[in-house]
Amino acid sequence: MMVPAEKELRTVLAQFAEVRIEHDVRPTGRTSRALEDVTYTLCVMTASRTAEEALRTADLLIEKYRTTREGAAQEDETLAA
């Protein structure tokens, strides 16, 4: 799987949350299509088959990005010392 850039993944996750809430509050044909579209995008980005699987994978990727950043920050501190 190609790993999506953190910024793009976070953007699609935010879009998913926004559309999901809108669809849950006021479901229409437009919100249904928007939810299908953003779910498809999230699934493709995470190489997943379902929204639930895509969200779990996205959580793991976000955690990986965080630990990578922390490791780089520690490395920078060591080099600066």
Side-chain angles (χ1 to χ4, degrees), residues 70-80:
E70 287 176 357
Q74 286 179 346
E75 196 174 295
D76 288 346
E77 287 177 13
T78 302
L79 292 174

Side-chain angles (χ1 to χ4, degrees), residues 14-44:
Q15 290 169 347
F16 178 85
E18 183 179 329
V19 171
R20 182 76 223 193
I21 290 167
E22 184 180 358
H23 183 69
D24 286 348
V25 171
R26 273 184 247 85
T28 65
R30 185 193 62 77
T31 62
S32 180
R33 284 186 301 280
L35 186 56
E36 286 177 19
D37 289 347
V38 74
T39 299
Y40 175 80
T41 301
L42 185 59
C43 285
V44 169

Side-chain angles (χ1 to χ4, degrees), residues 1 3 8-10 15-17 23 27-28 30 34 39 41 46 48-50 54 60 63-66 72 78 80:
M1 168 178 90
V3 179
E8 283 74 21
L9 180 60
R10 287 183 181 276
Q15 290 169 347
F16 178 85
H23 183 69
T28 65
R30 185 193 62 77
T39 299
T41 301
T46 59
S48 302
R49 291 183 175 259
T50 66
L60 292 171
E63 179 63 21
K64 181 179 174 184
Y65 297 137
R66 186 188 65 77
T78 302

Side-chain angles (χ1 to χ4, degrees), residues 50-61:
T50 66
E52 293 78 16
E53 182 184 340
L55 291 170
R56 280 192 302 273
T57 301
D59 284 344
L60 292 171
L61 287 169

